[in-house]
């Protein structure tokens, strides 16, 4: 929700045009990185895994979810 509000503010103020000064690979890489992080938080729900807590760090999260996904 916060990202949406920021996008609206940048669009309304004209600051959104500043993105043209960033190289395309930087924008695509950032977007893909965020998508992977968000998707990794949804794996537990997708497979219906039972975990008390899910680690917040990406690599620890993948290490904790890996054995659970492989045994389902």
């Amino acid at each position: 929700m916060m990202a949406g509000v920021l996008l609206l503010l940048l669009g309304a103020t004209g600051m959104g045009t500043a993105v043209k000064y960033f190289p395309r690979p930087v924008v695509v890489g950032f977007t893909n990185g965020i998508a992977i992080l968000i998707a990794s938080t949804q794996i537990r729900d997708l497979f219906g895994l039972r975990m008390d807590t899910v680690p917040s760090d990406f690599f620890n999260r993948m290490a904790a979810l890996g054995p659970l996904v492989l045994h389902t």
Side-chain angles (χ1 to χ4, degrees), residues 1 3-5 7 11-12 14 18 23 26 28 34 43-44 49-50 52 54-55 57 61 63 65 68 71:
M1 189 160 161
V5 170
L7 286 173
V26 171
V28 171
I34 294 298
I43 291 173
R44 180 183 63 152
L49 302 174
R50 305 238 183 252
D52 292 334
V54 179
D57 180 65
R61 185 180 318 129
L65 290 171
L68 295 173
H71 287 94

Side-chain angles (χ1 to χ4, degrees), residues 1-17:
M1 189 160 161
M2 183 174 67
V5 170
L6 285 173
L7 286 173
L8 287 172
L9 288 173
L10 290 173
T13 61
M15 295 283 297
T17 59

Side-chain angles (χ1 to χ4, degrees), residues 3 30-45 58 61-62:
F30 180 77
T31 305
N32 288 336
I34 294 298
I36 289 171
L37 287 175
I38 292 171
S40 72
T41 63
Q42 302 301 313
I43 291 173
R44 180 183 63 152
D45 297 327
F58 176 77
R61 185 180 318 129
M62 292 296 101

